[in-house]
Amino acid sequence: MKFTIPTLFSLALLPQLSFALPAFKNYPAAPFTGKYKAIKIDRSNQLYKSLLTELKNEKINFSGKYVLSPIGCGGGCSNIAFYNAQNGHASYLKQSFTDCYSEKHGFQMNDYEYQANSQLLIAIGRRSEKIEQCEKVYYLMKNDRLVEIAHHPVWK
């Protein structure tokens, strides 16, 4: 098989491209500057009605138009609630994250990373029953839903 220089160059880049992790700068969000809409409470978000109602008083901190707030669910567990200031939609991530522990790597507290000008949310922790199975999970906000786009282990 014969390879040209451009082909060899392209093949050399493949491993780098396939391991590129999502970054905040790659998912920009335009800022919303209008008046906040009333929060819509319905059967799907009734569980966190009080917290969601309070989000309307906070500053936009995610994806240009959302207010996010972590929710403690007890015992080193958390979830995240969000409110769209532009249309009033309020919900929460259906997946919770728990602290991780490994004898080899130690303790990793569950956490969320996000920015006001980016559509990317990074959740850190474990989603399984295995206490040592710690991961970073990457979500994008699409149509008022957090959609998982990638994940990888925190420890190898």
Side-chain angles (χ1 to χ4, degrees):
M1 180 178 270
K2 207 174 185 184
F3 291 106
T4 63
I5 297 296
T7 304
L8 289 173
F9 180 72
S10 297
L11 290 173
L13 285 178
L14 280 176
Q16 293 172 354
L17 294 175
S18 64
F19 292 101
L21 297 175
F24 293 112
K25 67 181 180 180
N26 296 334
Y27 301 97
F32 170 68
T33 57
K35 186 177 176 184
Y36 286 20
K37 298 288 185 202
I39 293 178
K40 298 173 185 173
I41 301 296
D42 59 30
R43 290 176 61 183
S44 70
N45 61 14
Q46 187 71 34
L47 180 64
Y48 295 112
K49 178 180 177 180
S50 297
L51 173 70
L52 292 171
T53 303
E54 291 175 19
L55 293 180
K56 189 173 186 234
N57 301 322
E58 302 296 323
K59 184 178 169 187
I60 290 171
N61 60 8
F62 175 65
S63 195
K65 60 185 174 185
Y66 291 89
V67 178
L68 263 63
S69 179
I71 306 168
C73 47
C77 175
S78 71
N79 198 328
I80 197 153
F82 56 90
Y83 154 66
N84 181 332
Q86 190 173 20
N87 67 18
H89 177 81
S91 191
Y92 58 95
L93 182 63
K94 305 304 185 233
Q95 181 76 61
S96 60
F97 287 82
T98 308
D99 298 338
C100 313
Y101 178 76
S102 158
E103 285 192 29
K104 181 178 179 183
H105 301 287
F107 177 78
Q108 171 65 55
M109 190 167 136
N110 73 83
D111 199 9
Y112 298 92
E113 298 173 4
Y114 48 90
Q115 296 178 357
N117 63 351
S118 178
Q119 299 175 63
L120 181 66
L121 169 78
I122 304 170
I124 304 163
R126 67 181 167 96
R127 301 184 282 179
S128 77
E129 296 297 318
K130 298 178 181 175
I131 196 165
E132 71 283 346
Q133 191 172 354
C134 203
E135 60 185 328
K136 275 192 176 186
V137 184
Y138 301 83
Y139 296 92
L140 281 184
M141 183 60 82
K142 293 185 178 185
N143 299 320
D144 289 331
R145 285 188 54 238
L146 287 165
V147 178
E148 183 177 335
I149 59 167
H151 67 272
H152 68 84
V154 170
W155 303 316
K156 295 191 182 206

